[in-house]
Amino acid sequence: MIQDFTPSDFWWKNITGASAMTNDAVNAITEGYSLILGVPGHVPWPDTMRRIIRENISSGDIYITVIDAGNECGESPGDYLLRHYDTERRYRSRLASVQDYFMGNKALGGHIFWLHNFADKAQASEWAAFCGKYPSESADTGLFIIDTDSGNIMPSGRVKAVNYDDYAESHDTMIFASFLLDAERSSTQQYSREWKQYISLLAAMLCGNNAQLAESFIRAGDFTRYEPSDILESVCGECPEDVSVRIWSAQVQVFFPMIELARVRIIRNYKGLSDKLAFALSWLNANGQAMKQSDGKTVIDPEDLDTGGLFHLLCQSKMIKPVDEELNEYVSLLRSFRNLLAHMTPCQVNDVSDLLEYERRYADKL
């Protein structure tokens, strides 16, 4: 169990994609580059990200000047800076560009200008273009951070771009969700390892790289009782159009391997069942009723039986006297679950709960 787990800090400091973004942003400034910081609307806990960057670029002789571009900068970048930092009005446009003028007099020295809340992409692009022509190589002559939700603003000159979507992926969200589920101490719902694996993957498939949404999703309902789509809708008011496909994808990744492993374990380990299946397959083959695989090959080895074949011999053919009605129910569920997934149909929460309950019940039997 993780002590003092703070989701926002854990995401930005410990999860690979997110922490790589903050590290690259800090490194760019430290190496003397201005920065285009791409922060789209789905970035989780953006203020935490900004705090971490700010803490790592601040020092005693550097001032971070925050500028609300949309409200404070009605004029061009050059005019804005001249109005605020050329207080004696010495600039002459015929002699130098605004950038060269400030480089020469070092009036912007010791400042990192953090611009945010741009009126639109055009304004953010104008500032990025201005910075691309400002040849500063350290905070000693002034650097800029263009904090924008507008994508595809290309850097030039002494400017680097660090965009969230180039770093954080749904895989990062899955890892974050796993830690969150392990760290939960106040939740009345205690999930098994298998449930945690499934919920973590659901969070990744349904929430993408938005870990903040994933946290709300995980805490919003009991996944052993409610459908994931209903829980997601309770959090954000609507679901993506392909929500069923995303849930199905999570189920395939978690339950297909589980079903196949269960099939093999049942055949190999359950009370002499393998010998009984081998006898039944041999009898069918000898009497012209050989069981065929999907590729048309005759099934001779019991371990080659798929869930459908296993279900047929145990539950339908009456060739094998049932030794455990509950086992037959388990095999029936494995077959129906797999068939639904094979046809791209997500399984309902009751079936998921039943499958994981059978897994728990048979863990010591097989």
Side-chain angles (χ1 to χ4, degrees), residues 57-290:
I57 62 176
S58 297
S59 65
D61 56 349
I62 295 176
Y63 299 93
I64 298 176
T65 303
V66 179
I67 301 173
D68 184 335
N71 292 315
E72 297 178 28
C73 305
E75 65 267 69
S76 69
D79 288 344
Y80 174 85
L81 292 170
L82 288 169
R83 179 160 60 89
H84 286 80
Y85 295 94
D86 183 28
T87 55
E88 297 181 5
R89 302 295 183 263
R90 293 182 176 181
Y91 172 68
R92 298 293 181 268
S93 60
R94 69 180 182 276
L95 299 178
S97 68
V98 174
Q99 291 92 331
D100 288 340
Y101 173 72
F102 280 122
M103 279 293 295
N105 64 23
K106 296 186 177 182
L108 305 183
H111 286 273
I112 296 174
F113 297 93
W114 194 315
L115 294 106
H116 72 111
N117 191 34
F118 291 94
D120 49 33
K121 182 178 179 179
Q123 187 187 30
S125 297
E126 185 180 18
W127 273 94
F130 176 89
C131 295
K133 296 177 181 178
Y134 187 62
S136 175
E137 296 185 358
S138 76
D140 291 339
T141 44
L143 295 174
F144 296 84
I145 296 175
I146 311 298
D147 183 340
T148 175
D149 61 358
S150 298
N152 302 319
I153 298 178
M154 300 302 295
S156 61
R158 295 285 304 172
V159 180
K160 287 188 175 182
V162 173
N163 297 303
Y164 177 77
D165 286 335
D166 293 334
Y167 289 86
E169 301 177 348
S170 58
H171 181 71
D172 294 301
T173 302
M174 183 182 69
I175 295 172
F176 167 80
S178 297
F179 279 104
L180 176 64
L181 286 162
D182 285 339
E184 287 289 82
R185 289 173 286 184
S186 59
S187 174
T188 56
Q189 173 60 46
Q190 299 298 315
Y191 295 111
S192 67
R193 177 175 57 84
E194 292 78 13
W195 270 109
K196 288 178 182 179
Q197 180 189 7
Y198 175 48
I199 296 167
S200 297
L201 197 49
L202 278 174
M205 296 306 300
L206 293 175
C207 304
N209 61 4
N210 188 340
Q212 189 169 2
L213 175 60
E215 182 205 10
S216 299
F217 172 65
I218 287 170
R219 289 178 167 166
D222 182 351
F223 288 85
T224 68
R225 298 175 57 197
Y226 301 108
E227 299 295 341
S229 56
D230 292 337
I231 295 175
L232 182 64
E233 187 174 7
S234 74
V235 173
C236 53
E238 60 181 1
C239 292
E241 291 184 0
D242 61 346
V243 61
S244 293
V245 175
R246 297 190 192 194
I247 294 171
W248 169 80
S249 180
Q251 291 182 350
V252 166
Q253 294 178 65
V254 174
F255 298 124
F256 250 30
M258 183 183 295
I259 290 169
E260 288 304 297
L261 180 59
R263 176 187 64 82
V264 173
R265 288 168 61 215
I266 288 170
I267 293 171
R268 285 181 180 176
N269 302 329
Y270 193 84
K271 299 177 182 178
L273 181 60
S274 181
D275 291 339
K276 295 178 181 179
L277 291 170
F279 178 83
L281 289 170
S282 178
W283 188 92
L284 289 170
N285 189 40
N287 287 273
Q289 304 174 41

Side-chain angles (χ1 to χ4, degrees), residues 281 284-285 289-301 304:
L281 289 170
L284 289 170
N285 189 40
Q289 304 174 41
M291 185 168 287
K292 303 288 185 179
Q293 292 178 324
S294 57
D295 59 5
K297 292 182 180 179
T298 298
V299 180
I300 301 297
D301 187 337
D304 290 336

Side-chain angles (χ1 to χ4, degrees), residues 9-37:
D9 278 27
F10 188 84
W11 172 256
W12 286 109
K13 293 181 179 180
N14 299 96
I15 298 299
T16 301
S19 63
M21 178 186 176
T22 57
N23 289 338
D24 283 359
V26 170
N27 289 338
I29 294 294
T30 303
E31 293 167 5
Y33 289 88
S34 289
L35 179 67
I36 298 172
L37 189 65

